[in-house]
């Protein structure tokens, strides 16, 4: 897939609140599985930022004020946790905690087959005054989180079961007076990528927000004929006694740049077995690293023989 990164920026608008009789509730969403925003996007993993947006919207209290919100992460990772601090009238505090508990149960039911979700809370009395986001800014934060796309947007029909296009809302961070939401857009179809860019730009424009797009990289399309791919598959079977499988993945790769710069380039990509990529459980098979090295040397030897005329590639 090709892709592009995107920031949507919300300018912070804050006020000083007199908080006598108010309570502070800290909300922490954690324990999610996370994963690679490309290869794991079809596993229906929960996104901590999207959950936090839904939670704040569902609390539905006119006197709820957001003191802070944070979901720092990376565009290419499905976010595993987010936190927010809210301020509510003391008379509403107990009701808020009950609602949060009910929302947690709802989230657990929705993702019972695909993810783990835990929500913890801490409550304390507010001091005499504190700084919080204005009501207008609070609504912008919640509305933007709710509107920004997350997950698969299109499946491929040329390759059944393959994700064609997706968006991952990977980070929410407050820096230099603005709240920045980072997304990673991926698609194996260039026009679909442009469509997603326009959707996000429209969301930003309608809500009076700034947005920027950067790190645009091209897709690497599957080619029906590849002598190099056939050589790799053949040598893999000779070396390891089983047939290699050529497949596509919904992830970005440097090969896309070479494919667009070098006319009729014949390329393959292969590597060791990696599990749980872009998570704290990421691991790699040492045996497969050794096998990949053996395969690489074998392929290069055959290419060299082909160049020297002693063999055909």
């Amino acid at each position: 897939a090709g892709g592009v990164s995107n920031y949507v920026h919300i300018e912070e608008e804050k006020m000083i609140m007199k908080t006598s009789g108010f309570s502070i509730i800290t909300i922490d969403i954690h324990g999610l599985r996370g994963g690679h925003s490309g290869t794991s996007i079809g596993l229906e993993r929960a996104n901590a930022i999207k959950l936090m947006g839904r939670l704040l919207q569902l609390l539905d209290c006119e006197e709820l004020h957001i003191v802070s919100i944070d979901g720092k992460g990376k565009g290419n990772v499905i976010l595993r946790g987010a936190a927010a601090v809210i301020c509510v009238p003391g008379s509403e505090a107990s009701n808020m905690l009950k609602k949060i508990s009910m929302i947690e149960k709802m989230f657990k039911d929705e993702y019972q087959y695909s993810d783990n979700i835990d929500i913890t809370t801490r409550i304390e009395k507010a001091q005499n005054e504190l700084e919080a986001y204005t009501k207008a800014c609070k609504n912008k934060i919640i509305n933007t989180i709710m509107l920004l796309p997350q997950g698969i947007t299109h499946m491929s029909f040329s390759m059944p079961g393959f994700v064609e296009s997706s968006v991952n809302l990977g980070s929410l961070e407050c820096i230099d007076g603005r709240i920045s939401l980072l997304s990673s857009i991926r698609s194996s179809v260039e026009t679909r990528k442009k469509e997603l860019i326009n959707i996000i730009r429209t969301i930003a424009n309608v809500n009076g927000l700034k947005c920027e797009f950067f790190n645009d990289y091209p897709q690497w399309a599957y080619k029906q004929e590849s002598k190099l791919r056939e050589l790799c598959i053949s040598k893999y079977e000779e070396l390891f006694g089983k047939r290699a499988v050529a497949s596509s993945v919904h992830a970005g790769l440097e090969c896309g740049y070479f494919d667009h710069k070098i006319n009729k380039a014949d390329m393959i990509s292969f590597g060791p077995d990696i599990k749980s990529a872009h998570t704290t459980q990421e691991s790699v098979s040492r045996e497969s690293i050794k096998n990949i090295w053996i395969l690489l040397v074998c392929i290069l030897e055959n290419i060299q023989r082909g160049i020297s005329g002693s063999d055909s590639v």
Side-chain angles (χ1 to χ4, degrees), residues 4 37 58 79 96 110 112 119 137-138 142-144 161 172 192 210 215 222 227 245 261 278-279 288 294 296 303:
V4 62
S37 68
L58 289 167
L79 194 65
M96 288 293 107
E110 290 177 355
Q112 60 182 302
I119 302 178
C137 191
K138 176 189 78 172
I142 295 173
N143 292 342
T144 303
L172 183 158
R192 292 289 200 191
K210 295 178 181 179
N215 290 347
Y222 177 82
K227 291 183 178 180
V245 177
K261 293 291 185 180
H278 293 180
T279 74
S288 70
I294 293 170
L296 175 61
I303 291 174

Side-chain angles (χ1 to χ4, degrees), residues 24-41:
I24 300 292
I25 301 176
T26 301
I27 306 167
D28 185 17
I29 299 176
H30 58 96
L32 282 63
R33 291 180 177 174
H36 189 293
S37 68
T39 57
S40 299
I41 202 70

Side-chain angles (χ1 to χ4, degrees), residues 152-157 160-165:
I152 298 170
T153 60
H154 296 93
M155 294 294 292
S156 171
F157 279 84
F162 179 69
V163 178
E164 178 194 276
S165 308

Side-chain angles (χ1 to χ4, degrees), residues 7-296:
Y7 270 119
V8 172
H9 301 293
I10 304 171
E11 297 298 322
E12 290 187 319
E13 300 169 6
K14 292 189 173 183
M15 61 182 182
I16 301 297
M17 288 181 54
K18 298 295 183 181
T19 53
S20 177
F22 278 73
S23 294
I24 300 292
I25 301 176
T26 301
I27 306 167
D28 185 17
I29 299 176
H30 58 96
L32 282 63
R33 291 180 177 174
H36 189 293
S37 68
T39 57
S40 299
I41 202 70
L43 301 179
E44 195 59 23
R45 301 278 171 81
N47 179 294
I49 298 173
K50 297 294 284 187
L51 292 184
M52 184 61 79
R54 286 181 65 192
L55 185 149
L56 292 173
Q57 187 182 63
L58 289 167
L59 290 180
D60 190 28
C61 175
E62 184 72 19
E63 292 300 313
L64 183 152
H65 302 275
I66 299 176
V67 178
S68 66
I69 185 168
D70 180 70
K72 186 177 180 180
K74 294 183 179 296
N76 60 1
V77 179
I78 302 171
L79 194 65
R80 300 176 66 234
V85 177
I86 62 174
C87 180
V88 297
S91 58
E92 288 288 329
S94 178
N95 187 42
M96 288 293 107
L97 292 179
K98 288 179 182 178
K99 281 188 175 182
I100 292 170
S101 180
M102 292 172 62
I103 293 168
E104 179 187 27
K105 183 180 183 303
M106 180 185 72
F107 289 161
K108 286 179 178 289
D109 287 344
E110 290 177 355
Y111 289 95
Q112 60 182 302
Y113 301 111
S114 62
D115 213 333
N116 303 310
I117 299 170
D118 290 305
I119 302 178
T120 56
T121 56
R122 187 178 73 253
I123 187 168
E124 57 187 308
K125 287 185 178 180
Q127 301 300 318
N128 292 331
E129 63 180 32
L130 56 72
E131 192 176 49
Y133 291 111
T134 63
K135 181 180 177 181
C137 191
K138 176 189 78 172
N139 290 336
K140 281 184 181 180
I141 294 168
I142 295 173
N143 292 342
T144 303
I145 294 173
M146 294 298 294
L147 286 170
L148 285 175
Q150 167 63 34
I152 298 170
T153 60
H154 296 93
M155 294 294 292
S156 171
F157 279 84
S158 62
M159 292 176 284
F162 179 69
V163 178
E164 178 194 276
S165 308
S166 72
V167 182
N168 179 63
L169 179 56
S171 182
L172 183 158
E173 191 173 3
C174 305
I175 305 175
D176 298 330
R178 63 185 184 180
I179 301 163
S180 297
L181 296 109
L182 172 65
S183 293
S184 175
I185 301 167
R186 298 178 189 269
S187 183
S188 52
V189 178
E190 179 72 14
T191 52
R192 292 289 200 191
K193 183 175 72 174
K194 291 179 179 178
E195 176 195 19
L196 290 170
I197 288 172
N198 287 331
I199 287 172
I200 292 176
R201 183 180 283 121
T202 301
I203 291 169
N205 290 342
V206 167
N207 289 279
L209 309 177
K210 295 178 181 179
C211 71
E212 57 180 307
F213 298 89
F214 57 99
N215 290 347
D216 195 335
Y217 59 92
Q219 71 277 5
W220 178 31
Y222 177 82
K223 291 181 172 59
Q224 292 293 331
E225 295 184 5
S226 168
K227 291 183 178 180
L228 187 56
R229 183 175 67 237
E230 292 306 313
L231 173 65
C232 182
I233 291 173
S234 172
K235 295 306 174 184
Y236 184 92
E237 187 170 14
E238 285 182 20
L239 291 168
F240 308 116
K242 56 182 179 180
R243 181 76 172 172
V245 177
S247 63
S248 294
V249 293
H250 187 62
L253 203 60
E254 291 81 359
C255 294
Y257 287 111
F258 292 110
D259 189 49
H260 279 62
K261 293 291 185 180
I262 306 173
N263 188 33
K264 297 182 179 179
D266 194 1
M267 297 183 292
I268 57 173
S269 172
F270 61 91
D273 293 333
I274 298 173
K275 295 181 179 180
S276 302
H278 293 180
T279 74
T280 53
Q281 288 79 44
E282 182 170 341
S283 62
V284 62
S285 162
R286 289 181 293 181
E287 183 71 15
S288 70
I289 293 174
K290 182 183 73 174
N291 290 344
I292 285 300
W293 176 253
I294 293 170
L295 177 62
L296 175 61

